[in-house]
Coordinates of all heavy atoms in Angstrom, one line a residue:
P1 N -8.2 -3.9 10.3 CA -7.1 -4.2 9.6 C -6.0 -4.6 10.6 O -5.1 -3.8 11.1 CB -6.7 -2.9 8.8 CG -7.4 -1.9 9.6 CD -8.6 -2.5 10.3
T2 N -6.0 -5.9 10.9 CA -5.2 -6.4 12.2 C -3.6 -6.0 11.9 O -2.9 -5.4 12.8 CB -5.2 -7.9 12.2 OG1 -6.6 -8.1 12.3 CG2 -4.5 -8.3 13.4
T3 N -3.1 -6.5 10.7 CA -1.8 -6.1 10.5 C -1.3 -4.6 10.4 O -0.4 -4.1 11.0 CB -1.3 -6.6 9.1 OG1 -1.5 -8.0 9.1 CG2 0.2 -6.5 8.8
C4 N -2.3 -3.8 9.9 CA -2.1 -2.4 9.8 C -2.2 -1.7 11.1 O -1.5 -0.7 11.3 CB -3.1 -1.8 8.7 SG -2.6 -0.3 8.0
I5 N -3.0 -2.3 11.9 CA -3.1 -1.7 13.3 C -1.8 -1.7 14.0 O -1.2 -0.8 14.5 CB -4.2 -2.4 14.1 CG1 -5.6 -2.1 13.7 CG2 -3.9 -2.1 15.6 CD1 -6.6 -2.8 14.4
L6 N -1.0 -2.9 13.8 CA 0.2 -3.0 14.5 C 1.3 -2.2 13.7 O 2.0 -1.5 14.4 CB 0.7 -4.3 14.4 CG -0.1 -5.4 15.5 CD1 0.5 -6.6 15.5 CD2 0.1 -4.9 16.9
M7 N 1.4 -2.3 12.3 CA 2.6 -1.7 11.7 C 2.4 -0.2 11.4 O 3.1 0.6 11.7 CB 2.6 -2.5 10.4 CG 3.8 -1.9 9.6 SD 4.0 -2.8 8.1 CE 5.3 -1.8 7.2
C8 N 1.2 0.0 10.8 CA 0.9 1.4 10.3 C 0.7 2.4 11.3 O 1.1 3.6 11.1 CB -0.2 1.4 9.1 SG 0.1 0.3 7.8
A9 N 0.1 2.2 12.4 CA 0.1 3.1 13.4 C 1.3 3.4 14.0 O 1.7 4.5 14.4 CB -0.8 2.5 14.6
V10 N 2.3 2.5 14.1 CA 3.6 2.7 14.5 C 4.4 3.6 13.5 O 5.1 4.5 13.8 CB 4.4 1.4 14.9 CG1 5.8 1.7 15.3 CG2 3.7 0.7 16.0
V11 N 4.2 3.2 12.2 CA 4.8 4.0 11.1 C 4.4 5.5 11.3 O 5.1 6.5 11.2 CB 4.4 3.5 9.8 CG1 4.6 4.4 8.7 CG2 5.0 2.2 9.6
G12 N 3.1 5.8 11.5 CA 2.5 7.1 11.7 C 3.1 7.7 12.9 O 3.5 9.0 12.8
A13 N 3.4 7.1 13.9 CA 3.9 7.6 15.2 C 5.4 8.0 14.9 O 5.8 9.1 15.3 CB 3.9 6.5 16.3
Q14 N 6.2 7.2 14.2 CA 7.5 7.4 13.9 C 7.6 8.6 13.0 O 8.5 9.5 13.0 CB 8.2 6.2 13.2 CG 8.4 5.1 14.3 CD 8.9 3.9 13.7 OE1 8.7 3.8 12.5 NE2 9.5 3.0 14.4
A15 N 6.6 8.8 12.0 CA 6.7 9.8 11.1 C 6.5 11.2 11.7 O 6.9 12.2 11.1 CB 5.6 9.7 10.1
S16 N 5.9 11.3 12.9 CA 5.8 12.5 13.6 C 6.9 12.8 14.8 O 6.7 13.6 15.6 CB 4.5 12.7 14.0 OG 4.2 11.8 15.0
A17 N 7.8 11.8 15.0 CA 8.5 11.7 16.0 C 9.9 12.7 16.1 O 10.4 13.0 17.1 CB 9.1 10.3 16.4
A18 N 10.2 13.3 14.9 CA 11.3 14.1 14.8 C 11.2 15.0 13.6 O 10.5 14.7 12.6 CB 12.6 13.2 14.8
P19 N 11.9 16.3 13.7 CA 11.9 17.1 12.5 C 12.4 16.4 11.2 O 12.0 16.8 10.2 CB 12.6 18.3 12.9 CG 12.6 18.1 14.5 CD 12.6 16.8 14.7
T20 N 13.6 15.7 11.4 CA 14.3 15.2 10.3 C 14.4 13.6 10.4 O 14.7 13.1 11.4 CB 15.8 15.8 10.1 OG1 15.7 17.2 10.0 CG2 16.5 15.2 8.9
L21 N 13.8 12.9 9.4 CA 13.7 11.5 9.5 C 14.5 11.0 8.2 O 14.5 11.6 7.0 CB 12.2 11.1 9.4 CG 11.5 11.5 10.6 CD1 10.0 11.4 10.3 CD2 11.9 10.6 11.8
P22 N 14.9 9.6 8.3 CA 15.6 9.1 7.1 C 14.6 8.7 6.1 O 13.4 8.5 6.3 CB 16.1 7.8 7.8 CG 15.4 7.5 9.1 CD 15.0 8.9 9.6
L23 N 15.0 8.6 4.8 CA 14.1 8.3 3.7 C 13.4 6.9 4.0 O 12.3 6.7 3.7 CB 14.8 8.3 2.5 CG 14.1 7.9 1.2 CD1 13.1 9.0 0.9 CD2 14.9 7.9 0.0
W24 N 14.2 5.9 4.5 CA 13.5 4.6 4.7 C 14.2 4.0 6.1 O 15.2 4.4 6.5 CB 13.8 3.7 3.5 CG 15.3 3.4 3.2 CD1 16.1 4.0 2.3 CD2 16.1 2.3 3.9 NE1 17.2 3.5 2.3 CE2 17.4 2.4 3.3 CE3 16.0 1.5 5.0 CZ2 18.6 1.7 3.7 CZ3 17.1 0.6 5.4 CH2 18.3 0.8 4.7
E25 N 13.4 3.1 6.7 CA 13.8 2.4 7.8 C 13.2 1.0 7.8 O 12.2 0.8 7.1 CB 13.1 3.0 9.0 CG 13.7 4.5 9.3 CD 13.0 5.1 10.7 OE1 12.0 4.4 11.0 OE2 13.3 6.1 11.0
A26 N 14.1 0.1 8.1 CA 13.6 -1.4 8.2 C 13.8 -1.9 9.5 O 14.7 -1.5 10.3 CB 14.5 -2.1 7.2
G27 N 12.8 -2.8 10.0 CA 12.9 -3.4 11.3 C 11.9 -4.5 11.4 O 11.5 -5.2 10.5
V28 N 11.7 -4.8 12.7 CA 10.9 -5.9 13.1 C 9.9 -5.3 14.0 O 10.2 -4.6 14.9 CB 11.6 -7.0 13.7 CG1 10.6 -8.1 14.3 CG2 12.5 -7.6 12.8
I29 N 8.6 -5.7 13.8 CA 7.4 -5.2 14.8 C 6.7 -6.4 15.3 O 6.6 -7.5 14.6 CB 6.5 -4.2 14.0 CG1 5.5 -3.6 15.0 CG2 5.9 -5.0 12.9 CD1 4.7 -2.6 14.5
G30 N 6.5 -6.4 16.7 CA 5.6 -7.5 17.2 C 4.6 -6.8 18.1 O 4.8 -5.8 18.7
G31 N 3.6 -7.6 18.3 CA 2.4 -7.1 19.3 C 1.3 -8.1 19.3 O 1.4 -9.2 18.9

């Protein structure tokens, strides 16, 4: 899953990066 490798792995990383996170985030990803 090429697109998911780039996007979703970063999503998973951000999801564990802090105790409190915003409901949604929007941005740009490249790799």
Side-chain angles (χ1 to χ4, degrees):
T2 309
T3 304
C4 200
I5 284 173
L6 285 180
M7 177 179 173
C8 298
V10 176
V11 169
Q14 291 171 336
S16 63
T20 303
L21 294 164
L23 180 63
W24 60 264
E25 295 175 353
V28 176
I29 184 171

